[in-house]
Structure formats: structure tokens, C-alpha cells
Amino acid sequence: LDDAFVCHLGFLRDGQPTVLPTLYARDGDVRYLHGAPANAALRSAEAATAACVAVTLVDGLVLARSAFHHSVNYRSVVAFGTAGEVTDFAEQERALLAIVDYVVPGRPRDSRPPSPEELRATRVTRFEIEEASAKVRTGGPNEEPADLELTSFWAGVLPLRVVLGTPVPDERGRPLPPVPA
Amino acid sequence: LDDAFVCHLGFLRDGQPTVLPTLYARDGDVRYLHGAPANAALRSAEAATAACVAVTLVDGLVLARSAFHHSVNYRSVVAFGTAGEVTDFAEQERALLAIVDYVVPGRPRDSRPPSPEELRATRVTRFEIEEASAKVRTGGPNEEPADLELTSFWAGVLPLRVVLGTPVPDERGRPLPPVPA
């Protein structure tokens, strides 16, 4: 969970299973989500008796000699639990800064803290993880033994990773300090 | 949709909203998913009257001068529809090769085609998109006008992209041909 920052929240809205992407931060067995006060997804998740949050990281494409055994290397967590609105002001502020810190470590120190008005303009949802399952695939392709005799098809793993590009500074306002570490 | 290959499928299983990651391929308004014949997620989605599939790509981290206006640049599609098992053998084969081709373009030509036994050992689910919404965020941070006067906080966008690493060949079996284009 701590290697990612986007999750997919699943909940029932008017009887319709719905999945939406959102940012999160983990604090022990709690995951914090946030949005506008009227955010329909968060409100529906809070109103439901159960919700689900999935996080998936893709680490590589697994190319087998056979089309059948193609696969993906990944790390995935699916967590079930219940959601509720955070109404305590201190917990709300801590959760919001935790989300910022989760996406860009150290960033709460490198930005203006939220004002009381900004905190009031944000809904924080507390998702208590009650049960979770993790699935991980690593390594090379599975193959049928006979396929190992084939010589016309390349087989192996294409690693995938996410990289940061060159920072694009905001051109408005006063001159910016250097990009923080 | 065509820039991604992993989706998050949301469905109801025993009254519990459930979200699972899976590969897909799009063909017009249809998305094909696949798994083992007994795959509980696909069977639950097929049995339900409605399902949801979300696809999300993160393009950058948006760093504002204020913690409050931090954001993420992304492209997201949330599609609602109904799922059903593909029983036609030709459609099943076409869908499976489409999924392989979606993840690694051209790969169906560069691997051994599925045998009838392998096709029977795979469940293909046809997800008909009935309604979909797309959300896209691009560009720099929003800021409160007063925050543009601040000089102590860097602001801008950190672009994120997925890159391929060096291919890792499968060391088993006969010597491999060169990595295909």
C-alpha cells in the first residue's frame, strides 16, 4: 500500500456497483480518502455498510512462448471494510497532510498549511480495513514443457516502472525557489 | 481506454461491493476480460445485473504553493454496463488474442497461438459499455491569488510516465531469437 497513492474505491450507489479512482494515505489499518464536501462517491461509501478499496501496481509484462501463458507481474491489495466521515478537526487536518505527504514525501513542509476554511471545504473519509488480501506475481513466464523447444518466439519479462520527468515550474507569481529534494 | 491495459472491475459478490484489477481489451463498445473458467470475479460480474469498470492513468503530480490545491493530472474512464460469458469459440479466441495484443502490440504474431484445450481453459467475459464518463485533468496548479505572492514554496508539475526497462530473457529452453520490435 505504501508504494502507491491511487486506489480504486468500490461502493454501491443507487444499487449500482461503482468504482472511482482516488488518492489515499494509510495510517495503520486506516486509509484516508478525501474530496469536496458534497462528493457523491465518498458520501455513498460512508452510507453503505461495506466498501472495497483496491490498489494495483504493475511491475512488468511477462511474455511467454505461448499466447496462453502471457501474464503480468504485479502487486495488488484488495481491502474490505467500512467507511465513515471524519468530523474531528485535528484528525481531518492530519489526514489531509498525510495524503499530500503520501503522494510527495516531505511536501507538507514545503507548502502553505491548510487554513480552517480550506479544511472545512474538504471532506475526509476514514476507511477501516477489516479484511484484506494481497496478490503478487514475480518472475519469468510459465511454459508448457514442449514450448521450451520452440526457437521462433522470444520469451521473458519486460520490466515496467514509473519515472519522474523534468519538473515544469508554474510561471505565474513571484520567482520560485529551487525544486525541493 | 486504448492507452491502458489494466482496469478495475467492480461488482457485487454476496452483497459485498468488490473491486478487482484485471487486463482488458476494447473492441468498439465492448470490453473483453478473461480468467480461469472458475474465476469468481468474472462469474459474479456475469451474474449481476450491472457492473462497473474503471481505468485510470496518472500523468503527473500537481504541486501548488498551498497544500490544499495539490492535485494529480490524470485520465480516467468509468464505464457502466452488463457482463456476460462469451461462449462462441471464434469470439473467445479473437478476444484472447486481442487482450494479448492490447498489452503488447503485435505479440499474437510473435507467440504460439492458443490450442483448443487452452481456449477451453479460459473464461472470456464480454462487458458491454452502456454508459461511460471520462475525466481528465491537465496543466499547472490552481492557486489562491494571495498565494502567488509567496516565494518560499516551489510550485509546478512533476510529470510521471511509465517506461520499459531492459528485457529479461527467459534462460530456459532453446536459444531465443532477438527481442521483437
Side-chain angles (χ1 to χ4, degrees), chain B residues 50-69:
Chain B
C52 179
V53 172
V55 172
T56 308
L57 293 165
V58 175
D59 295 323
L61 309 178
V62 182
L63 278 55
R65 293 159 183 86
S66 64
F68 180 73
H69 280 299

Side-chain angles (χ1 to χ4, degrees), chain A residues 5-6 8-13 15-21 23 34 48-56 58 61 63-72 74 76 78 80-81 97 100 103-104 107-114 117-119 121-122 140-144 147-180, chain B residues 5-6 8-13 15-21 23 34 48-56 58 61 63-72 74 76 78 80-81 97 100 103-104 107-114 117-119 121-122 140-144 147-180:
Chain A
F5 54 84
V6 171
H8 283 81
L9 172 67
F11 55 96
L12 215 57
R13 180 159 59 183
Q16 165 74 56
T18 304
V19 180
L20 290 177
L23 301 174
H34 78 309
T49 54
C52 179
V53 173
V55 173
T56 308
V58 175
L61 308 178
L63 278 56
R65 293 161 183 85
S66 63
F68 180 72
H69 280 299
H70 276 63
S71 188
V72 170
Y74 67 98
S76 158
V78 174
F80 299 97
L97 292 176
V100 172
V103 179
V104 185
R107 188 66 188 167
R109 283 190 308 278
D110 292 327
S111 56
R112 175 178 66 69
E117 292 70 29
E118 289 172 336
L119 287 176
T122 312
N142 300 325
E143 297 279 18
E144 301 301 322
D147 288 336
L148 293 174
E149 302 300 314
L150 298 174
T151 56
S152 40
F153 305 123
W154 188 87
V157 175
L158 303 181
L160 288 179
R161 68 199 156 86
V162 176
V163 296
L164 281 172
T166 307
V168 180
D170 185 6
E171 304 285 359
R172 304 166 306 166
R174 302 262 192 138
L176 295 172
V179 181
Chain B
F5 54 83
V6 172
H8 283 80
L9 172 67
F11 56 96
L12 215 58
R13 180 159 59 181
Q16 163 74 56
T18 304
V19 180
L20 291 178
L23 301 174
H34 79 309
T49 54
C52 179
V53 172
V55 172
T56 308
V58 175
L61 309 178
L63 278 55
R65 293 159 183 86
S66 64
F68 180 73
H69 280 299
H70 277 62
S71 187
V72 170
Y74 67 97
S76 158
V78 173
F80 299 97
L97 293 176
V100 172
V103 180
V104 185
R107 189 65 189 168
R109 283 189 310 274
D110 291 326
S111 55
R112 174 178 66 70
E117 291 71 28
E118 289 172 337
L119 287 176
T122 311
N142 300 325
E143 298 277 18
E144 301 301 322
D147 288 337
L148 292 174
E149 301 300 315
L150 298 174
T151 56
S152 41
F153 306 125
W154 189 87
V157 174
L158 303 181
L160 288 178
R161 68 197 157 88
V162 177
V163 296
L164 280 172
T166 307
V168 181
D170 185 6
E171 304 285 359
R172 304 166 306 166
R174 302 262 191 138
L176 296 171
V179 180

Side-chain angles (χ1 to χ4, degrees), chain A residues 20-21, chain B residues 1 53-56 74-80 129 131-137:
Chain A
L20 290 177
Chain B
L1 292 178
V53 172
V55 172
T56 308
Y74 67 97
R75 289 165 285 157
S76 158
V77 172
V78 173
F80 299 97
I129 303 175
E131 190 184 330
S133 65
K135 280 184 77 176
V136 176
R137 191 201 189 280

Side-chain angles (χ1 to χ4, degrees), chain A residues 88-111:
Chain A
D88 179 77
F89 209 69
E91 181 181 3
Q92 195 200 7
E93 177 164 27
R94 198 166 28 122
L96 287 173
L97 292 176
I99 293 172
V100 172
D101 196 50
Y102 221 66
V103 179
V104 185
R107 188 66 188 167
R109 283 190 308 278
D110 292 327
S111 56

